[in-house]
Amino acid sequence: MKDYNPSKIEPKWQKEWEKHDLFSAPDDATIENKMYILPQLPYPSGSGLHVGHAEVYTACDIYARYQRMLGKKVLQVIGWDSFGLPAENYAIKNNVHPKISTNKAINNFREQIKSLGISVDWGREVGAHNPDYYKWTQWFFLLMYKRGLAYRKEQSVNWCEGCKTVLANEQVVDGKCERCDTVVEQKKMEQWFLKITDYADRLANDLDKVDWPEETKSRQRQWIGRSEGAEISFDVVNVQDVQNVENAVKEQAKRYNKRSDTTIGTIKVFTTRPDTLFGATYLVLSPEHLLVQSSEFPAFCGVNSANRKEIDEYINKTKKKTELDRQTEKEKTGVELKGVKAINPATGEEISVWMADYVLATYGTGSIMAVPAHDQRDFEFAKKFNLGIKEVVSGNNDEGAFSGEGKAVNSDFLNGLETAEAKEKMINWLEEKGVGKRKTQYKLRDWSVSRQRFWGAPIPMVFNKDRKNKKYEYIFIHGYGGDGDSNYFPKLKRDLMALGHKVIAFDLPDTEEPNICRQMEFLLDNIEFSENTVILAHSLGGAVAMKLLEHENKKVAKVIFSDCFFEPKFVDTARPAVEASCDWNFDFEKLKTLADEYVVISDSNCPIIPREHSEDFAKRLNARIVFAHANGPHFMSLDEPVFLEEALVSGLMPVKFSDLPVKLPDDVDFRPTGQSPLTYSEDFQKNVEEKYGRGWKREMDTLDTFMCSSWYYYRYLDPKNDKEFASEKALKKWMPVDFYLGGEEHVNGHLLYSRFFTKVLFDAGYIDFDEPFLKHRHQGLILGEDSRKMSKRWGNVINPTDVVNEFGADTLRMYEMFMGPLEQTKPWSTDGVRGLRRFLDRVWNLYKKVNSDDGLKADYEATLHKTVKKVGEDLENLRFNTAIAKMMELVNEFSKADEIRHKDFELFLKILFPFAPHIAEELWSKLGNKKFLSLAGWPEYDEAKTVDSKITVVAQINGKVRASFEFDAGISEQEVIKIVLENEVIKKWLDGKEPKKIIYVEGKLVSIVV
RNA sequence: GCCGAAGUGGCGAAAUUGGUAUACGCACCUGCCUUAGGAGCAGGCGGAGCAAUCCAUGAGGGUUCGAGUCCCUCCUUCGGCACCA
């Protein structure tokens, strides 16, 4: 009887399917009939496939096979997240090149996956470590750079001087290095970041568009952490300079009317509770606050301040702390900046300024206004340092701070208002007085993508230190109606001069009705171009600048355009004279060669120059485009922080497209030194100067591997394309992903990054959708038999290949799907696996009962049709466990029958097929079928046959079941009630009482109330 | 501390979404067949009771003819975030 032999039939059918190429994605897919099923990209680890992988691939495969049977054109693919640290660590230890160990691991994975009978299109397999893949990872980085979304910045990291390396927070134990016990310090390093924060709002809002688990969505929302409130400026006065509080208040009052443009002496804070401003009794700066880093700091905190030393000590002490320490040590510490006082703009009172590490540098402005009466942290701090606590919201305040909502008190014009109203009123007041503004803050931080590692995609940038360090001559060209001191010019000028650059900002002639040519001529007469020239043009000045460049025909270092236009587009009214003052014909091809670097800065909300125009402009110049959130429309504000950053010559340049991929060299020393291993490769820098000029070198860090996995689902669509990351045609045909199955651990990493990448592609015009994964689910974790996480440490790891060898792939597939709901965490049970093998053995033996006689009585018929119906519904909803349970019921009935009709057994094989394709295909062929079961359609069931001829109705009296009845289906309500009431048991329970109410639920129950 | 999810037999879990709680599987028990069984087949299996019946979905309350399912309070477990102003 035991002739079911999976080790024989499974490889046989896998070969057959592959030979007949059944699972390649069909070419004739259209947006209506396509079905893109995506199992999450695995990291090909040396220890091989895990049962968790098998769960993901099986679930996707069942769904894919089902969809094919429904007639969908299915795309299902697997690839490899093959860059990453484990391979590199292995390389250091065993002196094997990661490429070799990785390829070996991939070959192993591929064989293991194939042995599960997963129906993927192997012709589209991709690996993140292959140059033809990471070429496009690098291209994505450049896309980010060109759109102003990639920038280089210094940031603190955990640093171990012993190992000379950056440590992740998890590698720091008790403030010491996990390996060598050296005290870990905070070190600033230059790192590349992606500006994911620019997309925070859309990333949060668009979650409404997708079918994802609610939990996942809310975790992402929480991670993005949107908070609404206000940014408030506090003027700071130097204690030595002010006689008394009265003077300070007078000073403050003057500033309400016309605030000076001096930012020194102002501390900005972010608060979600502007309504409590009257209760702000002191300010707190984080120890890393920018002000503390700046050259004005000694003056700021009072040159003669008695506690200057104390402050420095506090800063140094904080530097030694790790992030971890700061999180765990909840005891408040801090130090007062005794040289200064701040003015509360609402009360006009002088309040003290402190520095404390309970304030985070990386959130908001890095400084806060403390309202100890209504914030627990401020309360603790105030208690410790004996600072004033002033109640401004009425509410329970017995112990600690009351941070709830209530009526405002002690707050002048806010008194009596509820919190929400008070917030609004305060924000309006702040804006009116010019001391604050409405502000939305996010917890989300920009994404750090630099890794000082070898086994990743090299960052495709070149740099030139000399260019960065040179002094430049800036020429500012103002716009229509402006002058050399308009808008952001004065502050930028001062900032640039402070850095040692020269700045010329002329007042151009005829500014009320500008003549572009004449303005250009004026400039020609007054300036001289050189390779050290940087031109910054605003608005109409952009046209002047371009004419100037064309005319002069000399290369300059950099040109920056802020909200400029290359066609005469005046939104309010036509200005024929201005329009006619030049021909508006620009030779962009020539212009491209006249500056090393072009930047277009666009105010993303500008009413005068729309974003699209700036996009177009940047494209023509091959410029980097930066979308800034301007402080004033069309950059009319004095303080536009983006400009200093963008005006400087960075000494950075993206590599040319023809230089992609920037390949990883082979001559690499992996030893950890804290420098990227690429630093020591000669090959890596070969020919770079020939390509880019003297002094240029390649970036030596590599990209975070999350960048590789942020776009892989696009590469599957067109994996061999060497002109684009994917063709427009392929993108249109297959995207977005219809079903994505992956781990819950990636919610705030991979899933967020992928959405970010997709939105950037959308904005750049490559795609016409802005969410990559329409439907997403997580597989549940599979625990060991001891209900602990599978790990070598516990010795409870189950290797799927062992299970395949002992029981067969079909058994493994069915068992993993039967364990419980797909999304749930559940423990392994080898006995459970045996149960499923037993089931398949029984299925196998049913074959012997198959008879073609149509005259057979089929007692199982209702169950058969109900099962087809239920399995179809369950597959739609990914409820594989209950689908299998239903099939088991059917098989139990089949087992009881003497014979099974041929067509009925075929029907069953069709619904079994997605789950256990090998045995189903084998039995199908044994039944005499010549065509593959894989190519069969999904069966229909007969609705009429799913209806039972007999129904069971129970009778309840006052909610308790007292009797059960069998009726013919279709019996009327009156009849049922009549029979029920005549029943002896019911009569006994009624005890002669008259029913008050009788409820009949069709075909189910009669409920009698007495 | 904050946010979220979940608590049903000895175990994994079902329950048409308010209508016979425990489908299906595992483990266990009994029997048959066997030289043998970690095989197969037949049957049993929430608890108490000889039985009628009673009690059971983390605990307590509520709504309802009727609650595992809806509402309130609490407990436990597991995840996530964590000085985010």
Side-chain angles (χ1 to χ4, degrees), chain A residues 197 200-201 204 224-227 362-364 440-445:
Chain A
T197 49
D201 215 24
I224 294 164
R226 186 189 162 99
S227 323
T362 45
Y363 183 77
T440 305
Q441 267 296 335
Y442 300 92
K443 278 194 224 174
L444 188 67
R445 310 278 151 86

Side-chain angles (χ1 to χ4, degrees), chain A residues 17-125:
Chain A
W17 294 331
E18 195 164 341
K19 200 170 114 197
H20 291 85
D21 190 29
L22 297 187
F23 307 129
S24 287
D27 288 332
D28 56 347
T30 64
I31 195 70
E32 289 80 26
N33 67 16
K34 65 97 180 181
M35 175 58 60
Y36 186 2
I37 295 168
L38 185 68
Q40 200 161 60
L41 192 72
Y43 176 76
S45 88
S47 47
L49 206 69
H50 188 266
V51 287
H53 290 114
E55 186 185 19
V56 174
Y57 303 140
T58 301
C60 282
D61 191 52
I62 290 172
Y63 197 61
R65 285 177 186 264
Y66 168 65
Q67 292 293 338
R68 278 194 206 99
M69 290 174 89
L70 287 178
K72 292 280 186 175
K73 309 293 175 185
V74 170
L75 173 64
Q76 186 181 220
V77 189
I78 284 173
W80 319 106
D81 191 10
S82 39
F83 268 141
L85 206 50
E88 189 167 343
N89 287 343
Y90 186 83
I92 294 166
K93 226 175 159 183
N94 302 299
N95 205 25
V96 180
H97 196 286
K99 204 192 297 180
I100 295 165
S101 55
T102 300
N103 283 334
K104 203 174 140 199
I106 288 175
N107 289 336
N108 183 29
F109 257 67
R110 193 187 297 109
E111 287 317 304
Q112 286 187 294
I113 292 173
K114 283 189 172 175
S115 78
L116 297 176
I118 308 296
S119 61
V120 306
D121 183 346
W122 287 105
R124 294 171 182 258
E125 177 189 334

Side-chain angles (χ1 to χ4, degrees), chain A residues 219-282:
Chain A
R219 268 179 63 192
Q220 244 185 39
R221 278 197 198 96
Q222 197 182 316
W223 183 259
I224 294 164
R226 186 189 162 99
S227 323
E228 283 165 26
E231 191 176 274
I232 304 176
S233 300
F234 285 71
D235 279 346
V236 178
V237 292
N238 199 312
V239 171
Q240 276 89 15
D241 293 344
V242 182
Q243 295 303 310
N244 49 44
V245 179
E246 209 177 311
N247 270 349
V249 176
K250 270 186 203 158
E251 186 74 11
Q252 180 76 9
K254 259 189 262 166
R255 289 184 181 178
Y256 285 164
N257 299 327
K258 190 177 188 294
R259 288 178 61 75
S260 90
D261 61 355
T262 319
T263 52
I264 303 160
T266 300
I267 295 175
K268 285 181 178 170
V269 305
F270 172 73
T271 176
T272 52
R273 291 296 298 269
D275 59 302
T276 62
L277 179 56
F278 283 92
T281 50
Y282 59 101

Side-chain angles (χ1 to χ4, degrees), chain A residues 157-161 165 167-168 171-178 181-187 319-322 325:
Chain A
V157 289
N158 295 315
W159 178 260
C160 170
E161 190 49 41
T165 185
L167 301 178
Q171 296 170 307
V172 183
V173 181
D174 295 331
K176 291 176 187 165
C177 171
E178 181 181 48
D181 261 8
T182 309
V183 175
V184 172
E185 51 190 307
Q186 296 302 116
K187 188 177 172 180
K319 259 190 205 157
K320 291 232 166 85
K321 284 193 191 176
T322 62
D325 291 336

Side-chain angles (χ1 to χ4, degrees), chain A residues 42 93 123 163 200 244 368 393 530 655 735 750 941:
Chain A
K93 226 175 159 183
C163 300
N244 49 44
I368 60 150
V393 181
S530 78
V655 306
M735 283 301 286
H750 164 68
Y941 57 91

Side-chain angles (χ1 to χ4, degrees), chain A residues 21 38 51 106 129 134 152 177 239 367 391 394 413 424 440 472 552 673 735 776 790 855 942 951-952:
Chain A
D21 190 29
L38 185 68
V51 287
I106 288 175
H129 72 300
Y134 68 71
R152 210 165 199 271
C177 171
V239 171
S367 42
E391 189 185 1
S394 68
F413 58 89
E424 277 306 301
T440 305
Y472 292 89
E552 188 73 12
T673 59
M735 283 301 286
H776 176 54
M790 279 193 196
D942 189 339
I951 55 168
T952 306

Side-chain angles (χ1 to χ4, degrees), chain A residues 141-142 152 192 458-468 650-656 659 662 675-701:
Chain A
F141 178 87
L142 295 181
R152 210 165 199 271
W192 279 98
I459 295 176
M461 297 289 293
V462 286
F463 67 93
N464 186 329
K465 275 202 178 122
D466 297 339
R467 261 178 84 74
K468 186 183 175 180
S650 62
L652 291 164
M653 188 158 70
V655 306
K656 296 170 182 154
D659 199 14
V662 176
Q675 295 272 15
S676 176
L678 292 180
T679 314
Y680 307 108
S681 165
E682 279 181 29
D683 270 7
F684 192 58
Q685 301 292 356
K686 231 182 218 165
N687 300 328
V688 174
E689 293 205 329
E690 279 89 324
K691 283 177 190 160
Y692 297 96
R694 254 200 126 116
W696 291 93
K697 288 186 88 175
R698 289 199 193 285
E699 268 290 346
M700 286 160 298
D701 285 355

Side-chain angles (χ1 to χ4, degrees), chain A residues 473-743:
Chain A
E473 183 173 275
Y474 284 79
I475 297 161
F476 289 5
I477 305 178
H478 65 74
Y480 196 139
D483 58 43
D485 271 330
S486 323
N487 308 355
Y488 59 87
F489 282 9
K491 177 166 188 301
L492 181 61
K493 183 175 176 179
R494 220 175 37 237
D495 289 344
L496 286 170
M497 287 170 73
L499 290 168
H501 301 290
K502 207 174 147 192
V503 180
I504 306 168
F506 292 108
D507 295 341
L508 297 177
D510 309 327
T511 184
E512 290 312 319
E513 194 175 294
N515 180 309
I516 292 168
C517 287
R518 280 192 41 213
Q519 290 193 339
M520 174 194 80
E521 277 157 18
F522 172 84
L523 286 168
L524 277 178
D525 291 344
N526 287 285
I527 57 173
E528 227 169 283
F529 276 21
S530 78
E531 57 187 13
N532 289 335
T533 304
V534 178
I535 297 176
L536 184 142
H538 179 64
S539 200
L540 187 68
V544 179
M546 285 192 287
K547 282 288 164 205
L548 188 64
L549 277 161
E550 281 182 0
H551 196 273
E552 188 73 12
N553 202 13
K554 256 192 210 161
K555 196 164 183 173
V556 297
K558 184 170 184 175
V559 184
I560 303 117
F561 297 100
S562 66
D563 267 357
C564 293
F565 43 104
F566 59 93
E567 283 167 350
K569 276 191 177 163
F570 295 97
V571 284
D572 48 351
T573 172
R575 295 166 205 271
V578 180
E579 285 168 28
S581 73
C582 101
D583 57 10
W584 295 93
N585 263 328
F586 302 107
D587 182 351
F588 286 106
E589 286 314 306
K590 183 175 165 191
L591 281 167
K592 271 186 201 171
T593 65
L594 292 179
D596 286 326
E597 198 182 347
Y598 278 109
V599 180
V600 168
I601 304 181
S602 164
D603 172 358
S604 42
N605 302 312
C606 181
I608 297 163
I609 308 297
R611 248 184 110 104
E612 296 73 34
H613 190 88
S614 291
E615 285 259 15
D616 197 356
F617 188 32
K619 235 173 234 162
R620 284 163 197 250
L621 282 170
N622 196 20
R624 185 161 176 258
I625 183 160
V626 176
F627 293 102
H629 305 282
N631 281 329
H634 198 45
F635 299 117
M636 294 297 270
S637 154
L638 291 165
D639 185 17
E640 300 288 5
V642 64
F643 281 94
L644 181 58
E645 197 75 19
E646 294 302 333
L648 294 175
V649 175
S650 62
L652 291 164
M653 188 158 70
V655 306
K656 296 170 182 154
F657 183 77
S658 59
D659 199 14
L660 291 180
V662 176
K663 282 197 190 169
L664 278 175
D666 286 320
D667 61 330
V668 174
D669 185 351
F670 298 114
R671 279 172 305 178
T673 59
Q675 295 272 15
S676 176
L678 292 180
T679 314
Y680 307 108
S681 165
E682 279 181 29
D683 270 7
F684 192 58
Q685 301 292 356
K686 231 182 218 165
N687 300 328
V688 174
E689 293 205 329
E690 279 89 324
K691 283 177 190 160
Y692 297 96
R694 254 200 126 116
W696 291 93
K697 288 186 88 175
R698 289 199 193 285
E699 268 290 346
M700 286 160 298
D701 285 355
T702 53
L703 291 168
D704 182 6
T705 57
F706 273 114
M707 278 202 67
C708 308
S709 56
S710 293
W711 72 279
Y712 74 99
Y713 43 92
Y714 290 113
R715 192 59 181 167
Y716 286 155
L717 311 180
D718 200 1
K720 308 224 157 54
N721 193 334
D722 61 356
K723 303 270 179 320
E724 304 151 290
F725 70 96
S727 73
E728 196 184 337
K729 205 178 125 203
L731 287 164
K732 279 228 160 87
K733 186 185 277 187
W734 292 110
M735 283 301 286
V737 173
D738 296 283
F739 177 63
Y740 189 24
L741 185 63

